[in-house]
PDB file of all heavy atoms in Angstrom:
ATOM      1  N   TYR Z  23       3.921   3.675  -1.202  1.00  0.00           N
ATOM      2  CA  TYR Z  23       4.904   3.976  -2.185  1.00  0.00           C
ATOM      3  C   TYR Z  23       6.222   4.285  -1.499  1.00  0.00           C
ATOM      4  O   TYR Z  23       6.278   4.891  -0.421  1.00  0.00           O
ATOM      5  CB  TYR Z  23       4.503   5.191  -3.029  1.00  0.00           C
ATOM      6  CG  TYR Z  23       3.281   4.969  -3.815  1.00  0.00           C
ATOM      7  CD1 TYR Z  23       2.117   5.633  -3.511  1.00  0.00           C
ATOM      8  CD2 TYR Z  23       3.262   4.051  -4.871  1.00  0.00           C
ATOM      9  CE1 TYR Z  23       0.959   5.413  -4.247  1.00  0.00           C
ATOM     10  CE2 TYR Z  23       2.139   3.824  -5.590  1.00  0.00           C
ATOM     11  CZ  TYR Z  23       0.988   4.518  -5.302  1.00  0.00           C
ATOM     12  OH  TYR Z  23      -0.143   4.277  -6.017  1.00  0.00           O
ATOM     13  N   VAL Z  66       3.079   6.375 -24.834  1.00  0.00           N
ATOM     14  CA  VAL Z  66       2.585   5.982 -23.520  1.00  0.00           C
ATOM     15  C   VAL Z  66       3.750   6.043 -22.549  1.00  0.00           C
ATOM     16  O   VAL Z  66       4.811   5.528 -22.792  1.00  0.00           O
ATOM     17  CB  VAL Z  66       2.024   4.541 -23.530  1.00  0.00           C
ATOM     18  CG1 VAL Z  66       1.676   4.114 -22.113  1.00  0.00           C
ATOM     19  CG2 VAL Z  66       0.769   4.490 -24.379  1.00  0.00           C
ATOM     20  N   LEU Z  67       3.546   6.754 -21.502  1.00  0.00           N
ATOM     21  CA  LEU Z  67       4.568   6.900 -20.484  1.00  0.00           C
ATOM     22  C   LEU Z  67       4.286   5.855 -19.400  1.00  0.00           C
ATOM     23  O   LEU Z  67       3.238   5.819 -18.828  1.00  0.00           O
ATOM     24  CB  LEU Z  67       4.532   8.288 -19.899  1.00  0.00           C
ATOM     25  CG  LEU Z  67       5.392   8.472 -18.615  1.00  0.00           C
ATOM     26  CD1 LEU Z  67       6.852   8.289 -18.953  1.00  0.00           C
ATOM     27  CD2 LEU Z  67       5.137   9.823 -18.015  1.00  0.00           C
ATOM     28  N   THR Z  68       5.218   5.016 -19.182  1.00  0.00           N
ATOM     29  CA  THR Z  68       5.087   4.063 -18.075  1.00  0.00           C
ATOM     30  C   THR Z  68       5.940   4.502 -16.946  1.00  0.00           C
ATOM     31  O   THR Z  68       7.121   4.675 -17.092  1.00  0.00           O
ATOM     32  CB  THR Z  68       5.527   2.643 -18.546  1.00  0.00           C
ATOM     33  OG1 THR Z  68       4.669   2.285 -19.651  1.00  0.00           O
ATOM     34  CG2 THR Z  68       5.378   1.664 -17.445  1.00  0.00           C
ATOM     35  N   GLU Z  69       5.293   4.626 -15.823  1.00  0.00           N
ATOM     36  CA  GLU Z  69       6.016   5.152 -14.683  1.00  0.00           C
ATOM     37  C   GLU Z  69       5.942   4.107 -13.554  1.00  0.00           C
ATOM     38  O   GLU Z  69       4.853   3.689 -13.198  1.00  0.00           O
ATOM     39  CB  GLU Z  69       5.304   6.444 -14.253  1.00  0.00           C
ATOM     40  CG  GLU Z  69       5.785   7.040 -13.001  1.00  0.00           C
ATOM     41  CD  GLU Z  69       4.865   8.168 -12.586  1.00  0.00           C
ATOM     42  OE1 GLU Z  69       4.404   8.912 -13.485  1.00  0.00           O
ATOM     43  OE2 GLU Z  69       4.547   8.249 -11.416  1.00  0.00           O
ATOM     44  N   VAL Z  70       7.065   3.676 -13.154  1.00  0.00           N
ATOM     45  CA  VAL Z  70       7.091   2.665 -12.116  1.00  0.00           C
ATOM     46  C   VAL Z  70       7.649   3.228 -10.837  1.00  0.00           C
ATOM     47  O   VAL Z  70       8.787   3.742 -10.832  1.00  0.00           O
ATOM     48  CB  VAL Z  70       7.980   1.463 -12.545  1.00  0.00           C
ATOM     49  CG1 VAL Z  70       7.980   0.429 -11.416  1.00  0.00           C
ATOM     50  CG2 VAL Z  70       7.435   0.854 -13.841  1.00  0.00           C
ATOM     51  N   LEU Z  71       6.847   3.269  -9.825  1.00  0.00           N
ATOM     52  CA  LEU Z  71       7.282   3.758  -8.525  1.00  0.00           C
ATOM     53  C   LEU Z  71       7.662   2.577  -7.663  1.00  0.00           C
ATOM     54  O   LEU Z  71       7.023   1.559  -7.704  1.00  0.00           O
ATOM     55  CB  LEU Z  71       6.180   4.570  -7.855  1.00  0.00           C
ATOM     56  CG  LEU Z  71       5.645   5.787  -8.641  1.00  0.00           C
ATOM     57  CD1 LEU Z  71       4.575   6.437  -7.834  1.00  0.00           C
ATOM     58  CD2 LEU Z  71       6.766   6.756  -8.942  1.00  0.00           C
ATOM     59  N   GLY Z  72       8.679   2.747  -6.863  1.00  0.00           N
ATOM     60  CA  GLY Z  72       9.028   1.698  -5.930  1.00  0.00           C
ATOM     61  C   GLY Z  72       8.010   1.616  -4.804  1.00  0.00           C
ATOM     62  O   GLY Z  72       7.311   2.590  -4.559  1.00  0.00           O
ATOM     63  N   GLY Z  73       7.905   0.475  -4.179  1.00  0.00           N
ATOM     64  CA  GLY Z  73       6.997   0.361  -3.028  1.00  0.00           C
ATOM     65  C   GLY Z  73       5.819  -0.513  -3.324  1.00  0.00           C
ATOM     66  O   GLY Z  73       5.864  -1.332  -4.226  1.00  0.00           O
ATOM     67  N   GLY Z  74       4.768  -0.359  -2.538  1.00  0.00           N
ATOM     68  CA  GLY Z  74       3.624  -1.263  -2.599  1.00  0.00           C
ATOM     69  C   GLY Z  74       2.520  -0.784  -3.525  1.00  0.00           C
ATOM     70  O   GLY Z  74       2.555   0.318  -4.008  1.00  0.00           O
ATOM     71  N   ALA Z  75       1.557  -1.661  -3.734  1.00  0.00           N
ATOM     72  CA  ALA Z  75       0.465  -1.325  -4.583  1.00  0.00           C
ATOM     73  C   ALA Z  75      -0.822  -1.442  -3.756  1.00  0.00           C
ATOM     74  O   ALA Z  75      -0.804  -1.719  -2.587  1.00  0.00           O
ATOM     75  CB  ALA Z  75       0.403  -2.283  -5.794  1.00  0.00           C
ATOM     76  N   ASN Z  76      -1.958  -1.233  -4.438  1.00  0.00           N
ATOM     77  CA  ASN Z  76      -3.223  -1.276  -3.739  1.00  0.00           C
ATOM     78  C   ASN Z  76      -3.594  -2.664  -3.308  1.00  0.00           C
ATOM     79  O   ASN Z  76      -4.096  -2.839  -2.268  1.00  0.00           O
ATOM     80  CB  ASN Z  76      -4.309  -0.720  -4.621  1.00  0.00           C
ATOM     81  CG  ASN Z  76      -4.093   0.788  -4.830  1.00  0.00           C
ATOM     82  OD1 ASN Z  76      -4.321   1.545  -3.932  1.00  0.00           O
ATOM     83  ND2 ASN Z  76      -3.610   1.122  -5.975  1.00  0.00           N
ATOM     84  N   ASP Z  78      -1.519  -5.539  -3.766  1.00  0.00           N
ATOM     85  CA  ASP Z  78      -0.426  -6.448  -3.472  1.00  0.00           C
ATOM     86  C   ASP Z  78       0.767  -5.672  -3.013  1.00  0.00           C
ATOM     87  O   ASP Z  78       0.741  -4.445  -2.792  1.00  0.00           O
ATOM     88  CB  ASP Z  78      -0.098  -7.402  -4.625  1.00  0.00           C
ATOM     89  CG  ASP Z  78       0.823  -6.785  -5.661  1.00  0.00           C
ATOM     90  OD1 ASP Z  78       1.167  -5.559  -5.487  1.00  0.00           O
ATOM     91  OD2 ASP Z  78       1.186  -7.453  -6.571  1.00  0.00           O
ATOM     92  N   ARG Z  80       3.787  -5.592  -4.489  1.00  0.00           N
ATOM     93  CA  ARG Z  80       4.761  -5.273  -5.550  1.00  0.00           C
ATOM     94  C   ARG Z  80       4.687  -3.776  -5.870  1.00  0.00           C
ATOM     95  O   ARG Z  80       3.713  -3.107  -5.538  1.00  0.00           O
ATOM     96  CB  ARG Z  80       4.444  -6.072  -6.788  1.00  0.00           C
ATOM     97  CG  ARG Z  80       4.657  -7.555  -6.615  1.00  0.00           C
ATOM     98  CD  ARG Z  80       4.582  -8.234  -7.984  1.00  0.00           C
ATOM     99  NE  ARG Z  80       4.489  -9.697  -7.803  1.00  0.00           N
ATOM    100  CZ  ARG Z  80       3.332 -10.292  -7.652  1.00  0.00           C
ATOM    101  NH1 ARG Z  80       2.216  -9.594  -7.649  1.00  0.00           N
ATOM    102  NH2 ARG Z  80       3.306 -11.600  -7.514  1.00  0.00           N
ATOM    103  N   PRO Z  81       5.669  -3.291  -6.544  1.00  0.00           N
ATOM    104  CA  PRO Z  81       5.620  -1.891  -6.940  1.00  0.00           C
ATOM    105  C   PRO Z  81       4.400  -1.620  -7.788  1.00  0.00           C
ATOM    106  O   PRO Z  81       4.056  -2.392  -8.675  1.00  0.00           O
ATOM    107  CB  PRO Z  81       6.914  -1.699  -7.768  1.00  0.00           C
ATOM    108  CG  PRO Z  81       7.803  -2.788  -7.336  1.00  0.00           C
ATOM    109  CD  PRO Z  81       6.925  -3.924  -6.981  1.00  0.00           C
ATOM    110  N   PRO Z  82       3.721  -0.522  -7.530  1.00  0.00           N
ATOM    111  CA  PRO Z  82       2.563  -0.176  -8.346  1.00  0.00           C
ATOM    112  C   PRO Z  82       3.052   0.235  -9.728  1.00  0.00           C
ATOM    113  O   PRO Z  82       4.031   0.923  -9.869  1.00  0.00           O
ATOM    114  CB  PRO Z  82       1.936   0.989  -7.625  1.00  0.00           C
ATOM    115  CG  PRO Z  82       3.064   1.606  -6.876  1.00  0.00           C
ATOM    116  CD  PRO Z  82       3.975   0.501  -6.494  1.00  0.00           C
ATOM    117  N   ARG Z  83       2.378  -0.237 -10.724  1.00  0.00           N
ATOM    118  CA  ARG Z  83       2.814   0.100 -12.101  1.00  0.00           C
ATOM    119  C   ARG Z  83       1.797   1.068 -12.652  1.00  0.00           C
ATOM    120  O   ARG Z  83       0.655   0.742 -12.833  1.00  0.00           O
ATOM    121  CB  ARG Z  83       2.828  -1.194 -12.916  1.00  0.00           C
ATOM    122  CG  ARG Z  83       3.182  -1.005 -14.376  1.00  0.00           C
ATOM    123  CD  ARG Z  83       3.253  -2.349 -15.052  1.00  0.00           C
ATOM    124  NE  ARG Z  83       3.302  -2.250 -16.477  1.00  0.00           N
ATOM    125  CZ  ARG Z  83       4.398  -2.005 -17.164  1.00  0.00           C
ATOM    126  NH1 ARG Z  83       5.540  -1.843 -16.541  1.00  0.00           N
ATOM    127  NH2 ARG Z  83       4.340  -1.904 -18.500  1.00  0.00           N
ATOM    128  N   ILE Z  84       2.210   2.263 -12.853  1.00  0.00           N
ATOM    129  CA  ILE Z  84       1.316   3.314 -13.332  1.00  0.00           C
ATOM    130  C   ILE Z  84       1.520   3.517 -14.788  1.00  0.00           C
ATOM    131  O   ILE Z  84       2.620   3.907 -15.224  1.00  0.00           O
ATOM    132  CB  ILE Z  84       1.534   4.625 -12.556  1.00  0.00           C
ATOM    133  CG1 ILE Z  84       1.294   4.410 -11.053  1.00  0.00           C
ATOM    134  CG2 ILE Z  84       0.647   5.713 -13.118  1.00  0.00           C
ATOM    135  CD1 ILE Z  84       1.614   5.565 -10.203  1.00  0.00           C
ATOM    136  N   VAL Z  85       0.529   3.199 -15.544  1.00  0.00           N
ATOM    137  CA  VAL Z  85       0.619   3.418 -16.987  1.00  0.00           C
ATOM    138  C   VAL Z  85      -0.261   4.619 -17.299  1.00  0.00           C
ATOM    139  O   VAL Z  85      -1.424   4.609 -17.112  1.00  0.00           O
ATOM    140  CB  VAL Z  85       0.116   2.183 -17.756  1.00  0.00           C
ATOM    141  CG1 VAL Z  85       0.142   2.412 -19.216  1.00  0.00           C
ATOM    142  CG2 VAL Z  85       0.884   0.983 -17.370  1.00  0.00           C
ATOM    143  N   MET Z  86       0.385   5.672 -17.707  1.00  0.00           N
ATOM    144  CA  MET Z  86      -0.342   6.914 -17.908  1.00  0.00           C
ATOM    145  C   MET Z  86      -0.294   7.314 -19.384  1.00  0.00           C
ATOM    146  O   MET Z  86       0.650   7.930 -19.845  1.00  0.00           O
ATOM    147  CB  MET Z  86       0.317   8.036 -17.084  1.00  0.00           C
ATOM    148  CG  MET Z  86      -0.315   9.415 -17.303  1.00  0.00           C
ATOM    149  SD  MET Z  86      -2.036   9.538 -16.890  1.00  0.00           S
ATOM    150  CE  MET Z  86      -1.864   9.877 -15.143  1.00  0.00           C
ATOM    151  N   ASN Z 161      -1.311 -11.849 -14.848  1.00  0.00           N
ATOM    152  CA  ASN Z 161      -0.299 -12.076 -13.873  1.00  0.00           C
ATOM    153  C   ASN Z 161      -0.916 -12.910 -12.716  1.00  0.00           C
ATOM    154  O   ASN Z 161      -2.065 -13.247 -12.789  1.00  0.00           O
ATOM    155  CB  ASN Z 161       0.219 -10.734 -13.321  1.00  0.00           C
ATOM    156  CG  ASN Z 161       1.624 -10.791 -12.725  1.00  0.00           C
ATOM    157  OD1 ASN Z 161       2.115 -11.886 -12.415  1.00  0.00           O
ATOM    158  ND2 ASN Z 161       2.250  -9.655 -12.557  1.00  0.00           N
ATOM    159  N   LYS Z 163      -1.240 -12.601  -8.421  1.00  0.00           N
ATOM    160  CA  LYS Z 163      -0.995 -11.672  -7.301  1.00  0.00           C
ATOM    161  C   LYS Z 163      -1.609 -12.220  -6.039  1.00  0.00           C
ATOM    162  O   LYS Z 163      -2.408 -13.165  -6.067  1.00  0.00           O
ATOM    163  CB  LYS Z 163      -1.607 -10.319  -7.595  1.00  0.00           C
ATOM    164  CG  LYS Z 163      -0.899  -9.565  -8.753  1.00  0.00           C
ATOM    165  CD  LYS Z 163      -1.478  -8.218  -8.962  1.00  0.00           C
ATOM    166  CE  LYS Z 163      -1.115  -7.228  -7.823  1.00  0.00           C
ATOM    167  NZ  LYS Z 163      -1.463  -5.865  -8.165  1.00  0.00           N
ATOM    168  N   ILE Z 249      -8.127   5.845 -10.025  1.00  0.00           N
ATOM    169  CA  ILE Z 249      -7.297   4.907 -10.828  1.00  0.00           C
ATOM    170  C   ILE Z 249      -8.210   4.322 -11.921  1.00  0.00           C
ATOM    171  O   ILE Z 249      -9.245   3.706 -11.610  1.00  0.00           O
ATOM    172  CB  ILE Z 249      -6.695   3.817  -9.966  1.00  0.00           C
ATOM    173  CG1 ILE Z 249      -5.878   4.440  -8.810  1.00  0.00           C
ATOM    174  CG2 ILE Z 249      -5.792   2.907 -10.832  1.00  0.00           C
ATOM    175  CD1 ILE Z 249      -5.320   3.414  -7.825  1.00  0.00           C
ATOM    176  N   LEU Z 250      -7.779   4.468 -13.156  1.00  0.00           N
ATOM    177  CA  LEU Z 250      -8.507   3.946 -14.307  1.00  0.00           C
ATOM    178  C   LEU Z 250      -7.813   2.712 -14.818  1.00  0.00           C
ATOM    179  O   LEU Z 250      -6.614   2.557 -14.754  1.00  0.00           O
ATOM    180  CB  LEU Z 250      -8.525   5.017 -15.411  1.00  0.00           C
ATOM    181  CG  LEU Z 250      -8.876   6.446 -15.027  1.00  0.00           C
ATOM    182  CD1 LEU Z 250      -8.756   7.384 -16.223  1.00  0.00           C
ATOM    183  CD2 LEU Z 250     -10.315   6.517 -14.448  1.00  0.00           C
ATOM    184  N   ALA Z 252      -6.004   0.292 -17.349  1.00  0.00           N
ATOM    185  CA  ALA Z 252      -5.210   0.346 -18.596  1.00  0.00           C
ATOM    186  C   ALA Z 252      -5.767  -0.679 -19.566  1.00  0.00           C
ATOM    187  O   ALA Z 252      -6.498  -1.593 -19.174  1.00  0.00           O
ATOM    188  CB  ALA Z 252      -3.772   0.046 -18.318  1.00  0.00           C
ATOM    189  N   VAL Z 254      -5.473  -3.876 -21.127  1.00  0.00           N
ATOM    190  CA  VAL Z 254      -4.679  -5.121 -20.931  1.00  0.00           C
ATOM    191  C   VAL Z 254      -5.481  -6.295 -21.566  1.00  0.00           C
ATOM    192  O   VAL Z 254      -6.685  -6.251 -21.645  1.00  0.00           O
ATOM    193  CB  VAL Z 254      -4.422  -5.434 -19.434  1.00  0.00           C
ATOM    194  CG1 VAL Z 254      -3.626  -4.317 -18.818  1.00  0.00           C
ATOM    195  CG2 VAL Z 254      -5.732  -5.642 -18.664  1.00  0.00           C
ATOM    196  N   VAL Z 298      -5.121   8.477 -12.672  1.00  0.00           N
ATOM    197  CA  VAL Z 298      -3.955   7.667 -12.914  1.00  0.00           C
ATOM    198  C   VAL Z 298      -4.454   6.413 -13.626  1.00  0.00           C
ATOM    199  O   VAL Z 298      -5.529   5.903 -13.297  1.00  0.00           O
ATOM    200  CB  VAL Z 298      -3.262   7.312 -11.606  1.00  0.00           C
ATOM    201  CG1 VAL Z 298      -2.199   6.238 -11.849  1.00  0.00           C
ATOM    202  CG2 VAL Z 298      -2.597   8.529 -10.963  1.00  0.00           C
ATOM    203  N   VAL Z 299      -3.701   5.880 -14.551  1.00  0.00           N
ATOM    204  CA  VAL Z 299      -4.042   4.654 -15.245  1.00  0.00           C
ATOM    205  C   VAL Z 299      -3.053   3.547 -14.799  1.00  0.00           C
ATOM    206  O   VAL Z 299      -1.853   3.758 -14.819  1.00  0.00           O
ATOM    207  CB  VAL Z 299      -3.909   4.838 -16.766  1.00  0.00           C
ATOM    208  CG1 VAL Z 299      -4.250   3.522 -17.490  1.00  0.00           C
ATOM    209  CG2 VAL Z 299      -4.909   5.930 -17.258  1.00  0.00           C
ATOM    210  N   ARG Z 300      -3.593   2.427 -14.422  1.00  0.00           N
ATOM    211  CA  ARG Z 300      -2.722   1.303 -13.973  1.00  0.00           C
ATOM    212  C   ARG Z 300      -3.132   0.015 -14.629  1.00  0.00           C
ATOM    213  O   ARG Z 300      -4.317  -0.272 -14.865  1.00  0.00           O
ATOM    214  CB  ARG Z 300      -2.760   1.189 -12.443  1.00  0.00           C
ATOM    215  CG  ARG Z 300      -1.980   2.297 -11.766  1.00  0.00           C
ATOM    216  CD  ARG Z 300      -2.032   2.276 -10.291  1.00  0.00           C
ATOM    217  NE  ARG Z 300      -1.505   1.022  -9.728  1.00  0.00           N
ATOM    218  CZ  ARG Z 300      -1.341   0.813  -8.413  1.00  0.00           C
ATOM    219  NH1 ARG Z 300      -1.591   1.822  -7.585  1.00  0.00           N
ATOM    220  NH2 ARG Z 300      -0.868  -0.304  -7.984  1.00  0.00           N
ATOM    221  N   ASP Z 301      -2.088  -0.826 -14.830  1.00  0.00           N
ATOM    222  CA  ASP Z 301      -2.315  -2.108 -15.498  1.00  0.00           C
ATOM    223  C   ASP Z 301      -2.034  -3.288 -14.577  1.00  0.00           C
ATOM    224  O   ASP Z 301      -1.963  -4.420 -15.030  1.00  0.00           O
ATOM    225  CB  ASP Z 301      -1.476  -2.224 -16.780  1.00  0.00           C
ATOM    226  CG  ASP Z 301       0.032  -2.300 -16.504  1.00  0.00           C
ATOM    227  OD1 ASP Z 301       0.401  -2.254 -15.321  1.00  0.00           O
ATOM    228  OD2 ASP Z 301       0.770  -2.413 -17.474  1.00  0.00           O
ATOM    229  N   ASP Z 302      -1.819  -3.012 -13.306  1.00  0.00           N
ATOM    230  CA  ASP Z 302      -1.380  -4.055 -12.383  1.00  0.00           C
ATOM    231  C   ASP Z 302      -2.403  -4.431 -11.327  1.00  0.00           C
ATOM    232  O   ASP Z 302      -2.095  -5.164 -10.407  1.00  0.00           O
ATOM    233  CB  ASP Z 302      -0.071  -3.618 -11.682  1.00  0.00           C
ATOM    234  CG  ASP Z 302      -0.295  -2.382 -10.825  1.00  0.00           C
ATOM    235  OD1 ASP Z 302      -1.066  -1.501 -11.247  1.00  0.00           O
ATOM    236  OD2 ASP Z 302       0.314  -2.278  -9.751  1.00  0.00           O
ATOM    237  N   LEU Z 303      -3.584  -3.905 -11.410  1.00  0.00           N
ATOM    238  CA  LEU Z 303      -4.595  -4.156 -10.390  1.00  0.00           C
ATOM    239  C   LEU Z 303      -5.577  -5.189 -10.881  1.00  0.00           C
ATOM    240  O   LEU Z 303      -6.335  -4.998 -11.858  1.00  0.00           O
ATOM    241  CB  LEU Z 303      -5.354  -2.853 -10.031  1.00  0.00           C
ATOM    242  CG  LEU Z 303      -4.444  -1.778  -9.447  1.00  0.00           C
ATOM    243  CD1 LEU Z 303      -5.247  -0.526  -9.174  1.00  0.00           C
ATOM    244  CD2 LEU Z 303      -3.768  -2.244  -8.162  1.00  0.00           C
TER     245      LEU Z 303
END
Side-chain angles (χ1 to χ4, degrees):
Y23 296 112
V66 174
L67 169 65
T68 299
E69 174 189 319
V70 179
L71 302 179
N76 292 286
D78 84 355
R80 294 190 193 88
R83 178 177 167 83
I84 299 174
V85 180
M86 174 63 83
N161 203 343
K163 292 183 71 169
I249 305 173
L250 313 175
V254 298
V298 169
V299 177
R300 286 178 58 172
D301 68 359
D302 63 323
L303 298 177

